Each structure stands twice: as C-alpha cells, then as structure tokens.
Amino acid sequence: MAVYQIVKNGDSVLREKAKIVGQITPNIIKLLGNLRDTMYAANGVGLAAPQIGVSKRVAVVDAEEELIELINPEIINQEGTQTDSEGCLSVPGLIGDVIRYNAVCVRTLNRYGETVEICREGLAARALQHEIDHLDGILFIDKASDIRPVD
C-alpha cells in the first residue's frame, strides 16, 4: 500500500459530506490499506478518506491496538458524555476540548461487505466519532472549546 499526504484544513474536500460506497471493490480495499499505512506513518489514531483527498465514506481507527475498518459507518447507539482534548492530522499544531459520547455503537460494512456492529467506549469511542465527523465534513475545531497550540 502507500502513504499519502494528509489534506490540511482549508481544502474543500474536508468540508464535503463524503460519498456513500455502493460496492466493495478492489479499489476500496486498497483505500483501506492506504488509510491504514498513512495513519500509522503519521502516528495517528484514526484517518478518514477525505483526509487523503478521497470523498468516500471510508475510515480507519486504531485507538487501542486494534485496527477498525469502517465503510459507510453510522452511529446507532450512544451513551454518556466525556470531555477531553483532541487534535487532528488535518489541523496540525492545534488541540481543543471536545464533548463526545463516552460509548458508541457503530453499524458499518467491513472489507467483505458484511454489516457489523462495533461498540466501544473511552478513547476508541472518541476516535470513531471524530472519524465519522470527517465523513460528514465536520472538523474537531467546529466542536471544540479552548482551542490552543499543542505544547
């Protein structure tokens, strides 16, 4: 697979609602691998396709040493709230405090086209919500308070 340049805030693709994946093709499988490789190369915990300039509802998350691949994800259940600092590979140099659900269940397609439900809490739940926001054209700075430079 390949490591891509990460699109930065100001690029219009980050503000668009990403297109639904109609069919799992070899290109979608390749996109999953490229997202994974790019995320790891950048030391991130998640990456959405718009962040590499691709308007598709595809993302990856690895917040707890478990790679989660998402195709057309949607949050179907949530509970509790948590507030914590977030940053973003597309908004380098800034962090801010964001209120998120503490636990979420996400319905998504896996790489085999099967519908699966993934339920996580804590950091993994935060990362899932952050990446799904990217697919809807939302950046963490849209929700954050106390936006500040990274120390």
Side-chain angles (χ1 to χ4, degrees):
M1 298 300 143
V3 173
Y4 281 72
Q5 183 173 347
I6 294 174
V7 173
K8 302 296 187 258
N9 186 24
D11 191 305
S12 62
V13 72
L14 293 174
R15 295 306 190 162
E16 298 168 6
K17 186 167 178 128
K19 294 174 179 59
I20 291 173
V21 173
Q23 179 177 338
I24 311 296
T25 64
N27 284 338
I28 295 298
I29 301 303
K30 183 177 179 183
L31 177 59
L32 286 167
N34 292 339
L35 286 169
R36 177 199 63 222
D37 292 353
T38 303
M39 174 186 69
Y40 289 146
N43 295 314
V45 297
L47 195 67
Q51 291 181 275
I52 62 168
V54 178
S55 182
K56 299 270 187 202
R57 296 189 72 77
V58 178
V60 294
V61 169
D62 187 345
E64 296 173 342
E65 298 186 26
E66 169 201 17
L67 181 66
I68 300 172
E69 297 177 327
L70 306 163
I71 302 169
N72 300 334
E74 61 178 318
I75 295 172
I76 58 170
N77 193 23
Q78 64 275 327
E79 52 183 69
T81 59
Q82 56 167 308
T83 303
D84 206 347
S85 295
E86 279 185 32
C88 180
L89 296 171
S90 290
V91 188
L94 294 177
I95 59 171
D97 299 331
V98 181
I99 300 170
R100 300 263 187 205
Y101 297 114
N102 187 57
V104 294
C105 287
V106 175
R107 181 178 297 130
T108 187
L109 295 177
N110 65 18
R111 64 173 41 234
Y112 308 106
E114 302 163 332
T115 300
V116 296
E117 290 184 10
I118 299 166
C119 298
R120 297 292 184 274
E121 57 185 44
L123 178 60
R126 175 171 293 279
L128 287 166
Q129 292 167 82
H130 180 109
E131 298 314 321
I132 291 170
D133 275 354
H134 272 299
L135 302 179
D136 291 327
I138 299 167
L139 299 177
F140 88 96
I141 53 177
D142 300 332
K143 296 182 170 188
S145 62
D146 190 26
I147 299 172
R148 57 201 181 273
V150 176
D151 292 334

